[in-house]
Amino acid sequence: TKSGQRWRVFEYIGTNKDGKVVTIRKKGFKTKKEAKLYAEKQIELYKHDENNYLTQKNPINNEVTFKEVYKQWLISYEKTVEKTTFSRTKDLFKLHILPEFGNLKINEIATFQCQKWINSKNFVNIKQLKSYGSQVMEYAIDMNFRKDSNPFDKVRLPNKDKIKGTRKRIPS
């Protein structure tokens, strides 16, 4: 890629009771070790039943809230950034993201809600808010809390040129 070498996971696990092939697919890992770790975690989510079909060990939990997933994501995120970045990130969640999404069930958050929220914000660095929301959703998908796609993926950011001067910086 333009940003350097990336690793991809594509692994066949087996067949489920409906006859559908179950595979693990994800790309963009920075290291081979990260890719292998992801594949191992995903494989752990499945088991073979008495007929040798794959079933999920931990079905999607429909009661998990965005805030609960955020708390788990935050633990792993803290190990990847400097203390100042971590502190600022927690503040952004506390002030802007959790008030909107915190009490919502992770499976019930839809793209239109995310788009409406982004449209309501009036900040220059709104891209950062979208990115953090998206990271929590990706974590929810990776950890099997959410089964479908990331609702932030299709959110469109406002055109900066059209609103120049009307947006403020996010207070930290």
Side-chain angles (χ1 to χ4, degrees), residues 96-160:
H96 301 286
I97 302 171
L98 291 177
E100 182 71 24
F101 299 106
N103 295 324
L104 298 177
K105 293 178 181 159
I106 201 79
N107 273 327
E108 295 177 357
I109 299 173
T111 301
F112 79 90
Q113 289 171 298
C114 300
Q115 184 68 59
K116 184 178 175 186
W117 174 69
I118 287 289
N119 291 344
S120 73
K121 293 296 177 185
N122 192 26
F123 299 115
V124 171
N125 43 357
I126 194 128
K127 187 175 183 179
Q128 191 175 34
L129 290 177
K130 178 188 172 196
S131 173
Y132 284 134
S134 182
Q135 287 179 47
V136 172
M137 285 297 187
E138 280 299 318
Y139 183 83
I141 292 167
D142 291 347
M143 296 299 124
N144 208 31
F145 292 123
R146 183 179 173 93
K147 63 180 176 181
D148 57 358
S149 63
N150 185 339
F152 281 96
D153 285 349
K154 294 185 180 176
V155 169
R156 296 180 180 170
L157 293 171
N159 186 340
K160 287 182 183 179

Side-chain angles (χ1 to χ4, degrees), residues 18 24 26 56 88 100 125 156:
D18 298 329
I24 299 171
K26 188 163 174 131
Q56 284 189 316
R88 179 161 165 72
E100 182 71 24
N125 43 357
R156 296 180 180 170

Side-chain angles (χ1 to χ4, degrees), residues 86-103:
F86 180 70
S87 177
R88 179 161 165 72
T89 302
K90 280 182 18 181
D91 289 344
L92 288 174
F93 271 94
K94 181 178 152 190
L95 294 171
H96 301 286
I97 302 171
L98 291 177
E100 182 71 24
F101 299 106
N103 295 324

Side-chain angles (χ1 to χ4, degrees), residues 2-15:
K2 290 180 182 177
S3 60
Q5 185 177 9
R6 295 284 187 240
W7 292 86
R8 171 179 24 182
V9 172
F10 181 83
E11 191 162 337
Y12 169 81
I13 304 177
T15 308

